[in-house]
Amino acid sequence: MITVERTDFVSVPVTDLERSTRFYSDTLGLEQIGHGGWPEFALGENVSLYLLDPTNIGQTFQGPHTASIALRVPDVEEARKALEAKGVEFAGETFDTGVCHMAHFHDPDGNTLMLHRRYAPHED
């Protein structure tokens, strides 16, 4: 067995580092904590997201990610309106699962992201 202390980062494949860096920093407003060929952004206090141009490591772009990266926000509708004002298009209406609210959208390379907020307590 191994002991996992936490998730350090999530890699997101992109085709244009400059364009994607602008999207994650300017459009989403994420704090950029890594620069250069490996742009990295803080996602709260326990994980970061870093942009990976696969050609930098001898691979080809095999994206986009189709499983969403859930970005926890205080209020899904408020965050959605702020992003829509910046030109972000959402895939359908905000979904209420009976436990949480979710709103899906994509980055410039088609990677799936989600605004998310759980409002019901976890069941044991």
Side-chain angles (χ1 to χ4, degrees), residues 48-81:
S48 63
L49 176 148
Y50 94 96
L51 304 178
L52 170 65
D53 178 348
T55 62
N56 285 345
I57 56 172
Q59 298 178 357
T60 59
F61 180 76
Q62 298 293 318
H65 277 254
T66 56
S68 32
I69 297 171
L71 305 174
R72 181 178 173 177
V73 296
D75 184 304
V76 171
E77 281 306 310
E78 189 175 296
R80 179 181 178 138
K81 287 177 186 173

Side-chain angles (χ1 to χ4, degrees), residues 61-112:
F61 180 76
Q62 298 293 318
H65 277 254
T66 56
S68 32
I69 297 171
L71 305 174
R72 181 178 173 177
V73 296
D75 184 304
V76 171
E77 281 306 310
E78 189 175 296
R80 179 181 178 138
K81 287 177 186 173
L83 291 180
E84 286 175 329
K86 292 183 175 187
V88 173
E89 294 184 23
F90 283 78
E93 298 299 317
T94 298
F95 186 64
D96 184 342
T97 68
V99 180
C100 64
H101 293 123
M102 302 183 292
H104 294 85
F105 63 102
H106 299 93
D107 76 1
D109 282 294
N111 294 297
T112 305

Side-chain angles (χ1 to χ4, degrees), residues 118 120-124:
R118 182 179 183 90
H122 287 277
E123 292 183 18
D124 292 332

Side-chain angles (χ1 to χ4, degrees), residues 6-11 30-31 33 40-50 69-71:
R6 68 180 211 174
T7 299
D8 282 333
F9 61 86
V10 175
S11 302
L30 299 179
E31 175 189 3
I33 57 175
E40 189 170 359
F41 301 87
L43 296 179
E45 55 191 52
N46 68 332
V47 70
S48 63
L49 176 148
Y50 94 96
I69 297 171
L71 305 174

